[in-house]
């Protein structure tokens, strides 16, 4: 069984190679880049991640953005960070704490030092530790001089000065030259951890192709950082983390974020269904990247519409579905609230619609750039009347691809809106992803109504839009303009079969129960159970992005002799058919969630199981070590 950073101490050994100085071999490393929101930490982290993926390590990342569009420079609210955990074995989380913290200014240091364990390496830009910057960050004295960092391996590097000096030949304005210090830092870290460099240099050349001088300057800064690591005495040790040779099945891989994977999954769903895809969306963090990515793929028949607001976005998507397209709308929690009436209309019209909710902290505007999974009950019940919808939730960034295909399958086969619940940590996090074989993707082609389906009392043929498929209970999908298939649509209740407006009480109850039965009857896979010994008494049940921390924590508990089982839900409505049987076969059930216990509430109500909630609403993912400690306590008591 592969262990993660939270399951075992870091392994290392030392040797010499062709470089001057000592080279240590590690099994895993957690690095956090932190700086002002204008310091380019996300770009540096993303490039380090891409080169690490190409090198063959397994990895997991956690970008952490400030909520403000542009907070005052040098302040705590303006700190942006990017954490990367890479290893020679399977990684499940971005890591609980950084082994290396890069702090570009005093605010970045202060915001992140509390997460950094004693003995970790600190790399700080000494140029930014002026008296004014130190005071702005809330320090009473300069932490580089008062001994408060004595417990760490501190590397004081004048990153700004070194970058400006390296770019002198380009005659750039000083502020423009300073902007390349993230590339100098990336070069230094790439030297420290033996990362490939060619990919980053090619990336910079492409990114700044319209301004060749800027491209050359960034490449020069990157190389200068590498050379600084090679020549300075302050970094006498470099590190190697071998590729995760046994982690990956044969295939072609790339590093991918959840939002990109989800966008690709929607493109694949359009191709596999043979339908044009229409995205009606309004930009909202953290879902906007899906709109940005899909807008690049018009060659696949993708139409993207940036609407004037959330309501217009979902209305256009539902209209496209009525016209025979695969309708999709993307948003986050506040947008779901605005879209709810139209989603209810889609329930009544019984048309396919994929609603992507990339969850974030709430309520209201809440924490726009932080993660949470507190929209489950909103997705389940957040519409007027009895209006059930299926819910699908990916567990990893890569799974966002298959979740998009699954949501499209359900929507098209059962003629229903479907919620796809991602969240901020999945959307922005990255991992190696095996590019699927297109021939292995599911066939999603729907059947459209083309002929009348009913014979009237006078013997004439006509079209009844609310007749049902006996297997799926789905109604026929008739594209407007098909001769003879004209029919009435709208939100007022319809007569079963004929689709005429109906206020008949018995018909309304029949239609309500039929719509519920259609959702209850959706075919979803059985819940997979991880109970190696078959003798566990406690089950940990999760959903969504808690998969990584839960799995890492469960492995740690088992390594210490604890008997514990694990299961993770990808379908939240309807639940897998075997969920009740699985829950009742354990003495205790523990449900970790980044909310106040929404899934636990549902399973208690549905299966009369006294599930215990482990909740966290900090805007950050669970830490595996913290979760493991709580799970050990759950095993030791009668939960």
């Amino acid at each position: 069984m592969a262990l993660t950073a939270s399951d075992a101490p870091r392994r290392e050994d030392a040797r010499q190679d062709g470089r001057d100085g000592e080279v240590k071999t590690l099994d895993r490393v957690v690095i956090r880049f932190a700086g002002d929101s204008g310091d380019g930490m996300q770009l540096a982290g993303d490039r380090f991640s891409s080169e690490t993926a190409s090198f063959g390590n397994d990895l997991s990342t956690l970008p952490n953005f400030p909520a403000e569009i542009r907070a005052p420079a040098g302040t705590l609210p303006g700190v942006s960070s990017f954490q990367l955990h890479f290893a020679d074995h399977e990684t499940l989380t971005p890591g609980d704490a950084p082994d290396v913290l890069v702090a570009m200014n005093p605010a970045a240091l202060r915001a992140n030092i509390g997460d950094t364990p004693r003995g970790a390496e600190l790399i700080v830009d000494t140029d930014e530790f002026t008296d004014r910057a130190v005071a702005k960050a809330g320090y009473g004295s300069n932490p580089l001089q008062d001994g408060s960092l004595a417990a760490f391996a501190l590397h004081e590097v004048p990153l700004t000065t070194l970058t400006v000096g390296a770019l002198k030949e380009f005659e750039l304005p000083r502020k423009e030259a300073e902007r390349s210090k993230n590339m100098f830092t990336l070069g230094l870290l790439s030297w420290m951890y033996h990362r490939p460099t060619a990919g980053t240099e090619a990336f910079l050349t492409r990114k700044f192709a319209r301004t060749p001088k800027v491209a050359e300057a960034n490449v020069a800064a990157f190389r200068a950082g590498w050379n600084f690591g090679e020549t300075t005495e302050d970094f006498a040790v470099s590190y190697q983390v071998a590729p995760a040779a046994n982690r990956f099945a044969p295939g072609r891989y790339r590093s991918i974020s959840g939002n990109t994977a989800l966008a690709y999954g929607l493109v694949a769903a359009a191709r596999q269904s043979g339908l044009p895809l229409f995205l009606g969306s309004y930009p909202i963090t953290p879902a906007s990247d899906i709109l940005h990515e899909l807008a690049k793929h018009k060659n696949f028949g993708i139409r993207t519409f940036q609407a004037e607001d959330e309501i217009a976005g979902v209305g256009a998507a539902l209209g496209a579905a009525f016209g025979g397209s695969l309708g999709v709308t993307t948003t986050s929690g506040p947008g779901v609230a605005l879209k709810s009436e139209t989603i209810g209309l889609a329930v009544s019209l019984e048309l396919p619609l994929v609603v992507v909710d990339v969850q974030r902290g709430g309520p209201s505007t809440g924490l726009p750039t932080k993660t949470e999974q507190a929209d489950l009950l909103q997705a389940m019940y957040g519409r007027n009347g009895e209006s059930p919808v299926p819910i699908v939730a990916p567990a990893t960034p890569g799974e966002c691809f298959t979740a998009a295909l699954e949501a499209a399958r359900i929507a098209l086969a059962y003629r229903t809106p479907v919620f796809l619940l991602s969240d901020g940590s999945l959307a922005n996090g990255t991992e190696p992803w095996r590019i699927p074989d297109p021939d292995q993707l599911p066939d999603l082609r729907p059947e459209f109504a083309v002929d009348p389906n009913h014979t009237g009392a006078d013997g004439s043929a006509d079209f009844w839009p609310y007749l049902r498929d006996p297997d799926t209970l789905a109604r026929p999908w008739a594209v407007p303009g098909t001769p003879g298939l004209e029919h009435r649509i709208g939100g007022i209740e319809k007569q079963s079969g004929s689709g005429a407006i109906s206020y008949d009480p018995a018909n309304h109850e029949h239609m309500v129960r039929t719509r519920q039965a259609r959702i209850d009857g959706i075919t979803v896979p059985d819940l997979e159970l991880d109970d190696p010994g078959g003798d566990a008494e406690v089950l940990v049940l999760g959903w969504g992005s808690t998969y990584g921390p839960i799995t890492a924590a469960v492995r740690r508990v088992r390594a210490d002799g604890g008997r514990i089982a694990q299961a993770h839900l990808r379908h939240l409505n309807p639940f897998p058919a075997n969920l009740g049987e699985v829950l009742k076969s354990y003495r205790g059930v523990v449900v970790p969630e980044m909310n106040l216990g929404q899934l636990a509430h549902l399973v208690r109500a549905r299966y009369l199981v006294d599930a215990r909630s482990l909740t966290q609403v900090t805007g950050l993912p669970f830490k595996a070590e913290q979760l493991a400690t709580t799970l050990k306590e759950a095993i030791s008591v009668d939960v």
Side-chain angles (χ1 to χ4, degrees):
M1 178 181 68
L3 299 180
T4 69
S6 297
D7 299 313
R10 187 173 64 183
R11 302 188 306 272
E12 64 178 59
D13 59 61
R15 64 178 179 82
Q16 299 286 331
D17 69 356
R19 300 181 179 203
D20 294 332
E22 184 180 359
V23 178
K24 288 186 177 180
T25 300
L26 307 176
D27 69 323
R28 55 91 181 171
V29 175
V30 179
I31 298 174
R32 183 181 297 179
F33 297 86
D36 192 73
S37 58
D39 284 337
M41 295 295 91
Q42 303 301 325
L43 178 59
D46 181 69
R47 286 313 312 161
F48 196 96
S49 300
S50 295
E51 297 299 345
T52 295
S54 68
F55 185 72
N57 295 117
D58 197 10
L59 63 91
S60 180
T61 69
L62 177 64
N64 193 359
F65 306 94
E68 289 78 3
I69 294 175
R70 188 66 177 94
T75 62
L76 293 177
V79 173
S80 175
S81 68
F82 187 105
Q83 183 161 303
L84 164 72
H85 174 199
F86 62 103
D88 66 3
H89 54 267
E90 182 181 21
T91 63
L92 295 165
T93 74
D96 286 355
D99 302 307
V100 181
L101 172 62
V102 179
M104 305 297 279
N105 59 27
L109 179 65
R110 188 166 185 227
N112 292 280
I113 195 66
D115 293 336
T116 308
R118 297 168 64 89
E121 294 195 72
L122 302 182
I123 301 173
V124 299
D125 182 1
T126 56
D127 291 325
E128 296 296 322
F129 280 73
T130 63
D131 291 344
R132 184 170 181 270
V134 167
K136 186 184 289 189
Y139 280 112
S141 61
N142 192 327
L144 304 185
Q145 300 170 358
D146 62 11
S148 60
L149 302 178
F152 304 96
L154 178 62
H155 302 279
E156 300 182 47
V157 184
L159 293 170
T160 303
T161 298
L162 290 171
T163 303
V164 172
L167 303 184
K168 185 178 295 185
E169 65 178 278
F170 293 94
E171 298 180 348
L172 295 171
R174 181 176 176 86
K175 285 191 175 181
E176 187 73 22
E178 287 180 2
R179 293 178 63 185
S180 296
K181 67 181 179 180
N182 63 329
M183 289 298 105
F184 186 98
T185 306
L186 178 59
L188 172 58
L189 269 293
S190 297
W191 174 85
M192 284 181 64
Y193 290 95
H194 296 237
R195 300 295 92 184
T197 61
T200 293
E201 293 189 8
F203 167 82
L204 292 171
T205 301
R206 292 194 305 272
K207 181 176 178 62
F208 300 107
R210 295 183 180 179
T211 51
K213 189 175 183 179
V214 174
E216 293 173 10
N218 276 277
V219 171
F222 177 69
R223 291 175 178 172
W226 176 282
N227 293 334
F228 177 75
E230 184 78 18
T231 56
T232 182
E233 294 182 0
D234 194 30
F235 293 92
V237 178
S238 63
Y239 305 90
Q240 282 190 333
V241 179
N246 299 321
R247 167 68 175 90
F248 303 109
R252 188 179 182 190
Y253 288 80
R254 58 158 290 172
S255 178
I256 201 166
S257 70
N259 272 348
T260 301
L262 204 156
Y264 288 175
L266 292 173
V267 173
R271 300 292 286 180
Q272 295 303 110
S273 65
L275 302 177
L277 185 144
F278 180 93
L279 175 70
S281 185
Y282 181 76
I284 184 171
T285 302
S288 299
D289 284 341
I290 302 172
L291 169 62
H292 301 160
E293 184 62 39
L294 286 176
K296 302 174 185 177
H297 300 290
K298 296 177 182 177
N299 56 310
F300 288 116
I302 309 299
R303 298 190 181 107
T304 54
F305 170 54
Q306 181 175 317
E308 62 269 30
D309 55 39
E310 296 280 4
I311 299 172
V314 68
L318 183 56
F322 176 62
S325 294
L326 175 56
V328 181
T329 189
T330 54
T331 189
S332 191
V336 173
L338 293 168
K339 296 177 189 291
S340 291
E341 183 179 2
T342 303
I343 297 171
L345 176 60
V347 172
S348 177
L349 296 180
E350 300 186 32
L351 285 171
L353 177 69
V354 176
V355 181
V356 177
D357 176 6
V358 186
Q359 301 165 94
R360 70 189 203 186
S364 187
T365 305
L367 304 174
T369 61
K370 310 302 179 184
T371 194
E372 205 164 275
Q373 49 177 184
D375 294 352
L376 176 56
L377 294 183
Q378 181 184 29
M380 185 76 77
Y381 300 121
R383 294 159 299 284
N384 62 294
E386 295 288 345
S387 51
V389 297
I391 303 172
V392 177
T396 68
E399 272 191 20
C400 290
F401 178 87
T402 52
L405 282 166
E406 177 66 357
R409 176 191 75 85
I410 294 172
L412 294 170
Y414 294 89
R415 311 286 194 266
T416 177
V418 178
F419 265 94
L420 195 166
L421 292 183
S422 179
D423 65 41
S425 63
L426 292 178
N428 297 314
T430 57
E431 67 176 358
W433 176 65
R434 185 183 182 186
I435 300 173
D437 181 351
D439 293 336
Q440 301 301 314
L441 297 179
D443 185 351
L444 304 180
R445 287 172 294 182
E447 291 186 5
F448 289 104
V450 294
D451 297 307
N453 59 2
H454 178 261
T455 302
D458 60 357
S460 63
D462 60 2
F463 177 67
W464 276 22
Y466 282 88
L467 288 180
R468 304 281 172 183
D469 181 287
D471 296 323
T472 65
L473 298 181
R475 77 174 186 89
W477 190 5
V479 175
T482 305
L485 303 191
E486 298 84 358
H487 60 284
R488 178 181 288 108
I489 64 168
I492 299 177
E493 186 64 278
K494 304 297 186 297
Q495 179 68 40
S496 177
S498 70
I501 290 176
S502 172
Y503 293 95
D504 177 66
N507 176 76
H508 177 58
E509 176 153 354
H510 171 74
M511 291 293 280
V512 167
R513 293 187 180 277
T514 300
R515 287 190 287 261
Q516 183 65 58
R518 179 165 46 92
I519 304 306
D520 292 341
I522 292 172
T523 301
V524 303
D526 276 350
L527 181 66
E528 295 183 3
L529 182 63
D530 177 18
D531 186 359
D535 57 353
E537 295 184 335
V538 173
L539 171 71
V540 186
L541 181 69
W543 70 278
S545 65
T546 57
Y547 172 78
I550 290 174
T551 304
V554 164
R555 290 182 180 183
R556 178 168 181 160
V557 171
R558 288 175 182 167
D560 290 341
R563 294 178 298 173
I564 193 167
Q566 178 187 0
H568 207 79
L569 289 165
R570 271 77 171 181
H571 292 84
L572 295 153
N573 194 34
F575 285 128
N578 67 333
L579 176 58
E581 177 185 350
V582 169
L583 293 173
K584 292 179 179 179
S585 62
Y586 290 92
R587 175 173 61 85
V589 177
V590 182
V591 186
E593 299 180 80
M594 292 188 293
N595 56 49
L596 295 184
Q598 296 186 17
L599 176 61
H601 172 83
L602 291 174
V603 298
R604 285 190 193 113
R606 181 75 58 87
Y607 301 105
L608 303 181
V609 171
D610 188 17
R612 173 183 173 185
S613 285
L614 297 180
T615 62
Q616 174 177 298
V617 281
T618 62
L620 295 170
F622 280 104
K623 291 186 176 180
E625 182 178 2
Q626 168 195 357
L627 195 54
T629 300
T630 308
L631 293 180
K632 290 176 184 178
E633 295 172 357
I635 294 175
S636 63
V637 300
D638 185 0
V639 296

